[in-house]
Amino acid sequence: MSSSETRADPPAGSVPGDTPAASARPAARQGELALFAPPAATDEMLVPARMVNEWTYCPRLAVLEWGRGEWAGNADTAAGRRAHKATETGAAPALPEPEALPDDKALKTRRLLLASERLGLTAELDVIEADDGCVVPVDIKTGKRPHVAEGAYLPERVQVCVQALLLREAGYVCDEGALWFADSRERVRVELTDELIATALRAASDLRLTVASGRLPPPLDHSQKCVRCSLLPICLPDEVNWFRKGAIARTPPPAATPALPLYVQTPGARVTKKDFTLVVQVEGEADRAVPLDEVSELVLAGPISLTTPAVHELLRRDVPVAWMSSGFWYLGSTGPQGPRSAAVRTAQYAFAADEARRLVFARELVAAKIRNSRTILRRNWRGEDGERGPLLDRLALLADRTARADNAAALLGLEGEAAALYFRALPKLFTEGVAALPAFAFERRNRRPPADPVNACLSLLYAVLTRTFASAISVAGLDPWKGVYHVERPGRPALALDLIEPFRPVLADSAVLMALNNGELAPDDFVSAAGGCNLKPKARRALIAAYERRLDQETTHPAFGYQVSMRRLIQIQARLFARFVSGEIPRYPHYVPR
């Protein structure tokens, strides 16, 4: 039973760990027990006042941000940073010790950090005013003062109340707090009532106990609070609630950033930083500058140099750098690795250790891949109609048989049989012009190295797709190297290889078909040597451009029913897999379009 279900309200003015006299304690009803988080241990994180604000606003938001280390910015958070930055300008006197406060003059200081292990709280105060021996914390807020009876909403009043309690704990006399709304330039007095103090302390206690338990509170249900929340793309409230309600009322959460990946593949190129841009320098060519705000990921293929100032700026902006070989084999990533918490990875490892759950997931994964392969054939078929029906029926039968597979070896057999049928029929999806070119003759899938141009294109985009998923997986807090269906090997991002399976036909294969059938690739765009085939640099750029266009195309999510770009879909799927292994949703909704 949670503390909120068993706890009686605390006495006014009490703190976690206090033991008030029996006469001051409210009478507990039968079945109730006063339960508060104990004083913080020496090595325990103290709850920031801002997190008490967020718990009061939305418990899930506070746990995601403080307990799980999740963060995403938006226009509102940027405005908040600018408003608080203004308090750092100009010199301000230090706040004297409580006994040294002057009685005959007023003082004003800025940016004071306070903490208390007994309260389990900490706060960074924007402004502190002192007059006549008393101090008043002033918290700066963006926006305009809300027109409510209390002068401000409860979460903001709770936050300034925590600041006042910390000042009292430090020995200062503090009878009230204040909020300053920057846009309307209005000041609101916050009265430190017994009820407000009890609410603040109860919220801080509940947050600490929830984080300690490892529990993630459920999302709000169709709340307007979610609309402008910066963590909406991470929280996925409607998607999580869909498993309970079976319906979604809103459009998909926006991407955390509209930026796109930047690919650099010219050998010897150098990437540096200048002002707010990344500059790509290639000997004998004009420098190319790309605004940093437009870069979601930097992909370096082959011997490319990256300067230290550029690395520092990318780290500050949480922009990952993907390292790939000249042939676009994914080597790994540097930079941000998702939330600063191991909670999701711990759940992932526990899931991977459960053989029964792994098998159920693998069955659904292979079935989704086979069904998507069938969909690509059905949508793009250019051969004889009489050939298509039996082929589609055979693939549908193989997809259904995955539900009866007893082990991974049986699934591999079904997957292999379906892949042989699918790739054997792939030339039936080419236009007549492409099919007539001997250079684009295709009989079967091969790799290491690919023997012909079509296989070279498939191998390249499978590697790029792996990189795309590895990045999304890491950002979601998952370990890309710990797989469920694929065998783990050093240097092999097994989980990325798992999750890309249903996307191979609908993203990589369809992009190859697009580039070939549209005439974006020609036979002389390839070079063959030592039994292998590879794309020339210009052809790689053309094929990757086709892949990026495919990512920008919109699709209907088969489970939730809303329109979303393929690029955003990958991010949503990675987040949903994290929710799945954590036990928050009962199943992982594979992407299987109609």
Side-chain angles (χ1 to χ4, degrees):
M1 187 176 290
S2 70
S3 62
S4 61
E5 294 169 328
T6 61
R7 181 192 62 243
D9 285 344
S14 68
V15 298
D18 278 353
T19 307
S23 60
R25 187 183 303 120
R29 295 186 295 274
Q30 184 177 5
E32 290 186 342
L33 175 67
L35 178 62
F36 290 91
T42 303
D43 59 345
E44 185 180 348
M45 288 196 308
L46 302 179
V47 181
R50 185 170 61 86
M51 291 300 122
V52 183
N53 173 332
E54 293 190 355
W55 173 271
T56 308
Y57 183 80
C58 171
R60 184 179 177 89
L61 171 63
V63 174
L64 281 173
E65 190 169 330
W66 185 63
R68 300 289 177 88
E70 299 272 15
W71 168 251
N74 62 8
D76 291 337
T77 60
R81 282 196 301 270
R82 289 193 296 269
H84 286 84
K85 191 73 174 176
T87 66
E88 301 176 5
T89 60
L95 184 67
E97 294 297 323
E99 61 275 6
L101 278 178
D103 295 331
D104 56 347
K105 66 176 182 178
L107 292 175
K108 185 176 182 179
T109 188
R110 304 181 181 95
R111 316 307 296 177
L112 178 66
L113 181 63
L114 293 175
S116 168
E117 291 184 1
R118 188 177 75 90
L119 294 173
L121 295 168
T122 184
E124 187 174 9
L125 283 65
D126 293 332
V127 176
I128 308 95
E129 298 173 348
D131 191 15
D132 197 21
C134 297
V135 296
V136 177
V138 182
D139 199 48
I140 296 176
K141 299 296 180 184
T142 58
K144 299 180 179 180
R145 175 183 67 85
H147 294 287
V148 294
E150 297 83 357
Y153 293 120
L154 180 60
E156 283 70 32
R157 292 187 289 117
V158 161
Q159 182 174 352
V160 80
C161 177
V162 169
Q163 297 175 1
L165 291 177
L166 287 168
L167 285 167
R168 288 182 177 181
E169 184 76 2
Y172 294 96
V173 177
C174 183
D175 298 328
E176 64 182 57
L179 293 162
W180 172 258
F181 291 90
D183 288 2
S184 60
R185 302 188 63 79
E186 293 180 88
R187 180 181 174 119
V188 173
R189 178 178 177 270
V190 177
E191 184 181 356
L192 302 180
T193 64
D194 290 346
E195 181 182 5
L196 182 61
I197 292 172
T199 299
L201 295 175
R202 184 165 57 244
S205 175
D206 288 349
L207 174 54
R208 288 177 59 201
L209 291 172
T210 301
V211 170
S213 71
R215 181 176 63 88
L216 181 62
L220 301 178
D221 189 0
H222 191 44
S223 171
Q224 288 303 309
K225 293 180 179 180
C226 299
V227 175
R228 295 182 64 177
C229 178
S230 65
L231 263 65
L232 177 62
I234 296 172
C235 175
L236 299 181
D238 286 335
E239 286 77 1
V240 172
N241 283 328
W242 179 86
F243 288 92
R244 178 171 55 86
K245 299 170 56 181
I248 280 187
R250 274 198 298 264
T251 56
T257 172
L260 299 174
L262 171 63
Y263 293 83
V264 183
Q265 63 165 327
T266 304
R270 184 172 181 263
V271 181
T272 185
K273 170 189 169 293
K274 182 178 181 181
D275 298 328
F276 299 103
T277 66
L278 284 180
V279 179
V280 181
Q281 300 172 333
V282 177
E283 187 175 356
E285 299 181 12
D287 293 350
R288 301 174 187 176
V290 181
L292 278 157
D293 289 340
E294 298 178 6
V295 179
S296 65
E297 183 178 13
L298 179 61
V299 183
L300 304 179
I304 312 296
S305 300
L306 181 62
T307 65
T308 300
V311 172
H312 288 179
E313 185 63 26
L314 292 170
L315 288 171
R316 278 191 289 268
R317 292 171 175 262
D318 283 342
V319 176
V321 180
W323 303 89
M324 308 189 78
S325 70
S326 298
F328 273 80
W329 296 110
Y330 178 70
L331 303 176
S333 296
T334 56
Q337 297 297 318
R340 294 177 292 276
S341 167
V344 172
R345 294 191 180 204
T346 300
Q348 176 189 353
Y349 300 148
F351 176 83
D354 189 328
E355 292 294 336
R357 294 181 71 193
R358 286 181 63 165
L359 180 59
V360 171
F361 175 80
R363 286 170 177 164
E364 296 175 350
L365 180 76
V366 174
K369 178 184 180 180
I370 296 174
R371 291 191 174 102
N372 287 352
S373 299
R374 181 180 181 275
T375 297
I376 290 297
L377 294 178
R378 177 175 55 82
R379 289 180 176 178
N380 299 278
W381 189 263
R382 298 173 186 270
E384 298 292 334
D385 289 340
E387 297 178 276
R388 184 173 69 166
L391 174 60
L392 297 182
D393 291 343
R394 181 61 179 162
L395 288 173
L397 178 62
L398 289 172
D400 291 340
R401 285 175 57 189
T402 60
R404 300 187 297 274
D406 295 330
N407 49 53
L411 281 173
L412 285 170
L414 293 171
E415 182 186 10
E417 184 177 351
L421 291 171
Y422 168 73
F423 284 117
R424 194 178 303 137
L426 194 65
K428 302 295 184 180
L429 312 185
F430 296 161
T431 61
E432 292 184 3
V434 173
L437 295 173
F440 292 136
F442 180 83
E443 297 180 357
R444 63 184 180 88
R445 172 75 179 125
N446 60 60
R447 55 199 179 101
R448 298 178 183 173
D452 55 74
V454 176
N455 272 297
C457 291
L458 292 172
S459 292
L460 173 63
L461 288 197
Y462 289 162
V464 174
L465 183 62
T466 302
R467 187 271 309 162
T468 302
F469 265 87
S471 176
I473 286 168
S474 296
V475 170
L478 295 157
D479 184 350
W481 309 103
K482 184 66 175 177
V484 177
Y485 176 55
H486 281 81
V487 177
E488 298 158 22
R489 296 173 185 164
R492 183 183 192 184
L495 182 60
L497 294 175
D498 284 345
L499 297 190
I500 71 170
E501 289 296 357
F503 289 87
R504 287 179 187 264
V506 297
L507 276 181
D509 298 357
S510 65
V512 171
L513 291 172
M514 184 193 310
L516 290 174
N517 290 340
N518 289 346
E520 298 174 59
L521 298 175
D524 59 358
D525 286 330
F526 301 84
V527 57
S528 297
C533 180
N534 204 350
L535 289 86
K536 295 179 180 178
K538 180 182 177 181
R540 280 202 298 264
R541 284 193 288 270
L543 184 57
I544 291 172
Y547 169 77
E548 291 292 332
R549 290 199 308 273
R550 182 71 183 98
L551 287 179
D552 286 333
Q553 292 177 352
E554 288 200 341
T555 184
T556 299
H557 197 290
F560 307 133
Y562 51 51
Q563 288 286 314
V564 64
S565 72
M566 296 298 297
R567 190 185 308 279
R568 180 68 186 119
L569 176 69
I570 291 173
Q571 299 166 358
I572 292 174
Q573 292 300 110
R575 294 284 180 188
L576 288 172
F577 186 78
R579 299 281 177 254
F580 168 62
V581 298
S582 299
E584 190 175 17
I585 58 177
R587 63 181 179 83
Y588 173 72
H590 290 279
Y591 174 67
V592 184
R594 295 177 182 177

